[in-house]
Amino acid sequence: MFDNQIDNRELNQNLRQVLESYLLKYYREKHFLGLRFRQGKRDMIQINVPAHDLPIILQTKHSENNDPDSGKNRPEVQGHAEEVKQYIMKRIEKDKPWILGTLTANIDPDLIKVIEIARELCLVVIPRGVKLDITDGQHRKSAIHELIESSEGALIGDNDFPITLVLEKDFNQCQTDFRDMAQSKALDKSLLLSFGEFEGRIGIMKTIQEQVPIFKDKTERIKNTPSTKKKLIYTSNYIVKLVSCAFANDINAELENWDVETSSNALMNALNKFFSECEQTKQIFETETQDLTVEKVADFKEYCILGRYVGLEVLGKLLYSIYDKNNHYFDNDKVHQLSQIDWSRKGQLWTGNIVTIDPNPKNPAKPYKISMSMSSVKIAVDKVKIELGWIQPPPTQFQLYS
């Protein structure tokens, strides 16, 4: 054991001496420890770059003026760098962990020095004036650059960012590399929500998804659409928008800083009361997934608007109007009133707004269309409120001029 400690100490000392000789030699140039590897017949090096050095050694050559050959990657997407920047800032402000994916850049190997140290370990020397061309990650680089130059620069100044450096001088191959790296499929919204942090609307959504029987085991948590064959009715994306509507009347409200437990309990109680008392949802609510048939699920999604996303949005907006923010509860009597209206597709409250009849349907058995437009949803919500006496109907033309 003691001999091993001596050997390791000597090895570390020898390695430090080797590195210090190179670092002293190239101290006026940017230099980074790297790890060489090969992939797809390419030589690559992984380096880690301090935040303040990133804007100095990286440059973006995106296409401009409708000319793809004017750059090595796509034109910047307006606002995307700002989204990345806001993500970092919000996480830092909450003292939460955050992460950005590895950037990829290419460089003509003749423009840099790669000094082999041992096996794949090397030292990468980037002379002054030499820039690495971004192949993937231009918006991340822009976000970091803007933060570094802003008054909040100190917040990320102590962070490092990994770069996969592709030793490549061929311009056409660089463009091909960008295309190849852009082939990955975007994650479905439900999966992104399922992996979201347990706070705000995502925390509330995850709670009611488990505590409300009509959602439990009947919700698609990965893909964008619920499979009837798997007896799935909703998606996490449907439910999170219901949550946002119920508390903020806005499908996109994040509900930051809302108390997850208090809000979840209030909404869970309201939804359980509603779905258990509604004639169109009672059976689905009370039946566990294993006891449901595919036919029953299909019929529910076909004939009840609460089996569709738009129905949950309407319900959420109606719940918003009966939420007591000070005492954190939904009016029980009005929840009961909501449960007693006809939520079937043929209900008169939905005709002409979220449900319209096509006079020349492609499928005569389904002559209707379901609208999810903002105007249709608003009309449907107002129609319910008038029906239940929660608001007064707008004056008729005769009343206006009488």
Side-chain angles (χ1 to χ4, degrees):
M1 174 72 76
F2 183 70
D3 290 341
N4 286 340
Q5 289 178 346
I6 294 176
D7 290 343
N8 287 336
R9 206 176 301 135
E10 290 178 352
L11 181 63
N12 290 337
Q13 186 175 354
N14 292 337
L15 182 59
R16 192 178 299 114
Q17 289 174 348
V18 171
L19 287 175
E20 285 179 352
S21 66
Y22 285 122
L23 297 180
L24 182 62
K25 181 177 180 180
Y26 297 109
Y27 79 98
R28 289 184 61 82
E29 297 171 300
K30 293 296 179 187
H31 48 266
F32 308 94
L33 276 177
L35 194 64
R36 296 193 72 147
F37 64 99
R38 285 186 61 80
Q39 184 185 103
K41 299 182 179 181
R42 320 293 295 287
D43 286 319
M44 304 185 190
I45 303 174
Q46 187 82 23
I47 61 175
N48 294 313
V49 179
H52 281 279
D53 286 339
L54 212 63
I56 298 172
I57 68 168
L58 281 177
Q59 68 179 358
T60 303
K61 288 186 177 179
H62 52 260
S63 302
E64 296 178 335
N65 301 322
N66 199 33
D67 179 11
D69 291 331
S70 63
K72 293 183 178 180
N73 46 35
R74 66 182 173 183
E76 281 202 43
V77 178
Q78 193 71 26
H80 186 34
E82 181 64 25
E83 291 174 349
V84 177
K85 188 168 74 171
Q86 289 304 317
Y87 156 73
I88 297 172
M89 291 301 300
K90 286 180 180 179
R91 301 298 291 177
I92 291 174
E93 288 168 1
K94 293 181 178 181
D95 196 27
K96 298 281 189 179
W98 54 276
I99 187 171
L100 293 185
T102 302
L103 291 87
T104 306
N106 76 276
I107 187 68
D108 181 342
D110 294 337
L111 298 179
I112 62 173
K113 295 183 180 74
V114 179
I115 301 165
E116 306 290 346
I117 297 176
R119 295 177 68 92
E120 290 82 17
L121 188 65
C122 63
L123 186 70
V124 179
V125 180
I126 303 175
R128 291 189 171 203
V130 173
K131 299 277 190 179
L132 310 177
D133 294 331
I134 293 179
T135 311
D136 182 55
Q138 58 178 324
H139 298 95
R140 278 163 276 164
K141 180 263 182 186
S142 296
I144 297 164
H145 195 157
E146 289 176 18
L147 278 173
I148 286 295
E149 293 190 338
S150 73
S151 57
E152 289 90 8
L155 295 177
I156 68 165
D158 195 35
N159 289 274
D160 299 289
F161 296 90
I163 299 177
T164 297
L165 190 55
V166 184
L167 306 183
E168 178 62 64
K169 66 173 69 177
D170 187 326
F171 176 83
N172 292 327
Q173 183 60 53
C174 293
Q175 287 190 318
T176 301
D177 288 347
F178 169 73
R179 182 206 63 192
D180 291 347
M181 285 187 287
Q183 297 300 312
S184 59
K185 183 181 183 295
L187 292 177
D188 291 329
K189 290 181 180 178
S190 287
L191 182 59
L192 286 172
L193 291 169
S194 296
F195 283 164
E197 189 163 2
F198 197 86
E199 62 180 28
R201 68 175 188 165
I202 293 179
I204 301 169
M205 177 272 292
K206 286 185 173 183
T207 301
I208 67 169
Q209 198 169 244
E210 287 296 320
Q211 300 299 323
V212 178
I214 203 168
F215 298 142
K216 184 174 173 59
D217 299 327
K218 299 163 190 168
T219 298
E220 172 60 72
R221 305 187 188 200
I222 295 179
K223 298 180 181 178
N224 278 335
T225 54
S227 169
T228 301
K229 291 182 179 179
K230 294 180 180 179
K231 296 188 282 190
L232 299 174
I233 301 171
Y234 306 102
T235 71
S236 296
N237 194 40
Y238 294 3
I239 300 172
V240 83
K241 290 183 177 182
L242 162 66
V243 169
S244 294
C245 287
F247 290 111
N249 201 31
D250 177 0
I251 61 172
N252 297 313
E254 296 290 341
L255 306 181
E256 295 180 358
N257 302 319
W258 282 59
D259 185 274
V260 171
E261 184 177 359
T262 302
S263 303
S264 297
N265 286 337
L267 186 55
M268 177 186 66
N269 291 334
L271 291 174
N272 282 337
K273 179 177 178 63
F274 171 84
F275 287 122
S276 65
E277 295 179 356
C278 174
E279 182 181 345
Q280 289 78 39
T281 61
K282 183 178 174 65
Q283 184 181 23
I284 297 290
F285 175 85
E286 294 178 345
T287 307
E288 294 188 5
T289 308
Q290 64 265 26
D291 298 324
L292 284 173
T293 65
V294 171
E295 290 72 25
K296 282 188 180 296
V297 171
D299 287 345
F300 177 68
K301 293 165 77 170
E302 180 70 25
Y303 295 110
C304 180
I305 68 165
L306 291 167
R308 298 170 178 263
Y309 160 70
V310 69
L312 292 188
E313 183 178 344
V314 170
L315 176 60
K317 288 179 177 291
L318 287 166
L319 288 173
Y320 171 77
S321 65
I322 60 173
Y323 181 59
D324 185 331
K325 295 181 181 179
N326 295 322
N327 296 304
H328 308 293
Y329 79 97
F330 294 87
D331 188 308
N332 259 339
D333 292 336
K334 291 186 175 180
V335 170
H336 176 72
Q337 288 181 340
L338 284 176
S339 72
Q340 299 307 296
I341 65 178
D342 185 357
W343 288 87
S344 72
R345 177 173 46 79
K346 296 180 180 179
Q348 55 88 20
L349 290 171
W350 324 119
T351 302
N353 44 74
I354 61 176
V355 180
T356 57
I357 304 300
D358 186 349
N360 300 301
K362 292 181 180 179
N363 182 356
K366 297 180 180 181
Y368 61 89
K369 291 183 178 179
I370 302 296
S371 171
M372 294 188 291
S373 68
M374 290 177 60
S375 58
S376 297
V377 170
K378 185 180 186 308
I379 292 171
V381 170
D382 287 344
K383 203 170 180 180
V384 172
K385 290 179 180 179
I386 292 170
E387 175 73 13
L388 297 178
W390 296 359
I391 62 172
Q392 293 298 313
T396 64
Q397 188 175 15
F398 174 78
Q399 290 171 321
L400 284 173
Y401 293 100
S402 62

